[in-house]
Amino acid sequence: MVVVGRMLATSGEALLGSLRSPVRTSSDLIKAAGVNKDIASRFLSALSKRDPMAVAYYMPGVESLRRLSRGAKSRSGDALAIKTFDAAISAFEEFLQDELGGRHALDAMASAWLPEARERFEFASRQMAFRASANLRGLECRTLVNAGLIAPGADADRYDAVALQGLIGIQRLRPAVSLTVATYDRRGDTAGRPNFTIDGRPIAGEELPHELLPAFSRGEPLDLRVVRRGSSAAFQLVGTALGASAAGDSFFGVYSPGLFRRWARFPGDRAAHMEVLEVPTQRLVLDVLLHEDVWPGRDPELLLYETCVRGTASVNEPARNPDRVDMLDTARLIGRGVDCCRVAETPRYLDLLHWTCEQRGWDQSKFRVYRCDARYPVVGVQYTMAFGLPERPTA
C-alpha cells in the first residue's frame, strides 16, 4: 500500500506539471483535464496528503483516475508523464483487486492506521448496519435514551438506583412481527433484588406494563405484552400500527433499592450500568447520574461487548474479555445537576428526571453526569459504563 501510494503521488504530481495550464484548485483541474468536480477535488485532496497510505485511501476510484488520464492526454505536453500515471493506476487496480479484494477492503485497512479514515469508515459502516437491521427487524427508533440514577439509600453498604429507558420516535416498519423494545434484567448479586415503580409501588408478577410511564410518552400508547422470567422483564411490541404517522415516544422506569454495592468484594471489583441494544436506533444516549456521595472520585470506563453468542456480559468476568468490541465511542463527564442532561429530540426527558428525583427525595443538583452519545450504535452490542469500586476502609 505504501509503494502504490508513492507511485500515485509522484506520477500524479508529474501529471499536473505536464498540463499546459497551471493547476492550483479543483476548478483549474476541471478546465485543464476536462473531468468533473468530484474527480478533481478528490484527486487534489489525495495529492495534498504526505502519508502514502493516506494518498491511496483518498484517491478516486480506478475508473475515475483513467478518465482523468484520458482527459489530460490531449492537454499534456509530456507523454512520459501520462504513461507513468497510467502505470500507477494499473498498480493501484492490481493492489485493490488481487491483494485486497476490493475498495471496501482498502477502507477497512486504512481505518486501522489513519484516525480520520477510521472515523469515516466506522460511521459509514454503522449507518449501513442500522438501515439493514431496521429493514430486517421491521422496527426503528430515532433516539434511545438509557439513564441510571444512583444515590445513597437506607443500606449503608449499598446504593439505591433508578433505571430509565426512553424510545423516541419508535415506529414499526413491518406488520405482524412481535418485537422486543425494552428489557430489564439483573446479573450477579443484583438478580434477586426486587423492583418497584419509581414512586415506590411493588411490581407484581402479572403481565401488566407497570414500568411504562405514559405521562411522559408522546403519541398513541404502544400495544405491549410483558414477558417476565425471574429477574428479567421483556416488553414486546404486538401492535400493527405502521410508518412515520404512528411514530411515538415511550418511557419505562424502575426503582431498585440497594441495587449497587458500595465496596469492592475483591481487588478490581466493578459495578456497571448497561444497555444491550435491541432496537435499531439512529442515536443512543447512555447516561449515568451519580450522587456526589456515590463512589466519589471514580470515573467510568466505557466497555463494549458482543452479545450475539454468549449473551449479556459481566464486567467482572475475565472470560468475556475476548468479546470486547473496539469502536470509537467514549464516555465523558458532561456536567453536574440534572439540568445538563438535555436531549434535543425529547424535552420530556428532563421532566422525567426532575419527577424521578422528586419521587425519591433526591437533590437534583447533587448528581454528576456521565454520558456516552453514540451515533448509529450497533444492534447486539452491549454498551457498558463500569465503575471501579473502592475497598472498604479498615477500622
Side-chain angles (χ1 to χ4, degrees), residues 11 54 59 68 86 97 116 130 136 161 187 198 213 248 257 324:
S11 64
M59 272 291 166
L68 172 60
D86 286 340
Q97 299 303 324
E116 69 274 21
F130 158 75
L136 293 172
R187 288 290 184 268
I198 294 176
L213 301 169
R324 292 272 299 273

Side-chain angles (χ1 to χ4, degrees), residues 318-338:
R320 294 303 300 272
N321 288 342
D323 294 328
R324 292 272 299 273
V325 180
D326 180 21
M327 289 193 287
L328 293 175
D329 302 298
T330 59
R332 62 186 182 90
L333 179 70
I334 64 169
R336 297 182 181 276
V338 165

